[in-house]
Structure formats: C-alpha cells, structure tokens
Amino acid sequence: MILGAPIDLPPKKRDKALAALVAAGLIERDGDTYTEIADAFADLLAASPVATRAGVDRFVRDGRITQYPVRADDRLEVLSWARDQALPDAEELSERALGERLSELTSDIAALRRYLVDSGLVIRDADGRRYWRAS
C-alpha cells in the first residue's frame, strides 16, 4: 500500500519522521514513494511480546507495593511477601525499626504494619512496641 495521505509537517520534520519509520522497518522507500511494510507491526509485537506479570509481581514494582489486592488470597500473598522482606527471620524489632524496613516497601507504613498484624503474619506485643514474625 502506498502512503497516500499528505503529511502536514514542515519538510525537514517530515523527512526526519519518514527516515525514522524507514529505519524502524515500518515503511520502505523507493525514490519519492513510501510504502508500508505489510505486517510490520505484528512482526515487531511478536518479536517483543509484553510480559504478563503473575503473582506478587502484579502488585509490586521495583520492590514496592503499588496497590493492595482486593481478593483475599492475593492480598495474603502480597502481605506474606512484605513480611518476608521486612522480617526474613525470627528477630524481634521495635516499631521504629520495623517502620524503617517497611518504608522500603510502601509509602503508607502504618497501613502495611496494621495489615501484617491483622492478617496474623506479624505479632505485636501488648503495648505495641515490639514486633516479630508469626510462626
């Protein structure tokens, strides 16, 4: 198919845009005629398919929680991941120390700490000063 619609750009910009499309393999040039390459987009998309995120990766980007899942099973999976990041072993932490670790995972430290305790993944002592991983 020959590109028929006039391109409403200044000549320099038009030539630069067409050169970029040729370089990307989306169109071919034959003299002054430009032709689209059939299935160029399909070929490009097939060459680099979009990665589908699964599990915790659907809710975590660059090591930080971007949203809490609505589904209980998914939420527990994200909270378990957060617990494993903040409390990888059986150590006991002060509220401040736990908060520092949780700050690496979320901007809402208090909410994540509350979710972890409410889910039973993290135990808090009676006065709320010490936290540790549930067995």
Side-chain angles (χ1 to χ4, degrees):
M1 172 181 196
I2 296 176
L3 301 175
I7 301 171
D8 189 23
L9 289 173
K12 273 187 166 181
K13 285 189 177 183
R14 182 194 65 229
D15 292 344
K16 187 175 180 180
L18 289 169
L21 291 169
V22 169
L26 299 175
I27 63 173
E28 295 176 323
R29 180 179 183 183
D30 184 16
D32 289 336
T33 303
Y34 292 90
T35 309
E36 76 176 85
I37 297 175
D39 298 324
F41 286 106
D43 294 344
L44 287 172
L45 289 172
S48 54
V50 176
T52 302
R53 293 176 172 267
V56 173
D57 290 338
R58 293 177 293 162
F59 309 103
V60 174
R61 300 279 190 283
D62 300 322
R64 295 183 62 83
I65 299 169
T66 58
Q67 71 182 64
Y68 292 98
V70 174
R71 287 190 41 214
D73 290 345
D74 291 337
R75 181 178 285 251
L76 185 59
E77 186 177 10
V78 168
L79 292 175
S80 296
W81 171 85
R83 189 236 6 231
D84 293 346
Q85 301 304 305
L87 289 162
D89 50 35
E91 67 185 310
E92 189 173 301
L93 296 176
S94 68
E95 181 177 17
R96 181 183 193 126
L98 179 61
E100 288 174 5
R101 291 185 183 183
L102 295 179
S103 71
E104 299 293 319
L105 309 175
T106 185
S107 58
D108 193 345
I109 299 161
L112 179 54
R113 185 175 56 236
R114 184 172 48 254
Y115 294 154
L116 289 168
V117 171
D118 290 350
S119 69
L121 294 170
V122 171
I123 306 297
R124 174 178 58 206
D125 69 2
D127 64 7
R129 292 184 185 176
R130 309 296 295 171
Y131 294 82
W132 60 93
R133 182 184 178 110
S135 302

